[in-house]
Amino acid sequence: MSVTLQAALRFSPELLLKAQGPGLGLKAAIFDVDGVLTDGRIYISEAGESFKAFSTLDGHGLKLLDQAGITPIIITGRDSPAVRRRVADLGLRHAVYGAKDKLAVATPLLASLGLAWAEVAAMGDDWPDLPLMTRAGFACAPAQAHAEVKAVAHHITQAAGGHGAARECCDLILQASGRYQSLLNSHLDTLDGGAP
């Protein structure tokens, strides 16, 4: 017996149009880590180890983008074993760690993937993310982002960083691309949305 659901999540038609990007659709999305995939707090032990908390909602959203053929990319200003482990656990193929100049690392990475900025979304929360967000075809900011970042974002999520903000951005991009409904229904038969 095949089961289907009608998507309950809704975005305004105007926002969905923006989330399609200015060209023929978005093909990749760049995400910051601290303040986007985490709440921005950094816990440091006496031994100097840093600890971060990640949302499983965000992780699944990144995997859904990948399943839909929209490449998730991580570009973060910090480097830590915790972030590397999370990226590896999610199976993400494109990540840059310790990027002091995010534009300087994003530009050649996008070129190597054959992507123009108009085909890319970017999500960030602070000034180091502005060069990416102002060039991207679509820009998202989490609810607690800095005012200057919110000012350039096409969409400010209801959720805060580390608490589902990246998932909201992923869901929006997936709905705008027309892939959300089929991904939702593919998850009714198996845990990972793959073939039974």
Side-chain angles (χ1 to χ4, degrees), residues 66-147:
D66 202 30
Q67 287 177 19
I70 299 168
T71 303
I73 300 169
I74 303 298
I75 298 181
T76 178
R78 293 181 177 271
D79 190 358
S80 74
V83 174
R84 286 181 180 261
R85 172 70 185 267
R86 182 65 175 148
V87 168
D89 287 351
L90 293 173
L92 303 181
R93 297 177 307 276
H94 305 286
V96 180
Y97 310 96
K100 300 304 175 207
D101 180 342
K102 293 185 178 186
L103 182 59
V105 298
T107 301
L109 176 56
L110 294 181
S112 74
L113 296 172
L115 297 172
W117 279 106
E119 300 172 301
V120 178
M123 184 170 195
D125 71 315
D126 209 345
W127 291 11
D129 304 308
L130 287 171
L132 307 183
M133 295 176 69
T134 56
R135 287 166 175 79
F138 183 71
C140 273
Q144 87 297 346
H146 190 277

Side-chain angles (χ1 to χ4, degrees), residues 26-63:
L26 299 176
K27 296 180 180 170
I30 300 171
F31 295 87
D32 178 33
V33 173
D34 294 319
V36 173
L37 297 181
T38 74
D39 65 7
R41 293 185 289 175
I42 299 168
Y43 301 92
I44 301 175
S45 73
E46 289 180 18
E49 298 173 287
S50 65
F51 301 92
K52 299 173 189 284
F54 297 94
S55 167
T56 58
L57 286 172
D58 292 340
H60 195 65
L62 294 171
K63 289 167 92 173

Side-chain angles (χ1 to χ4, degrees), residues 174-187:
L174 289 168
Q175 280 203 0
S177 73
R179 298 174 180 126
Y180 184 90
Q181 184 67 53
S182 62
L183 282 167
L184 173 64
N185 286 324
S186 74
H187 279 67

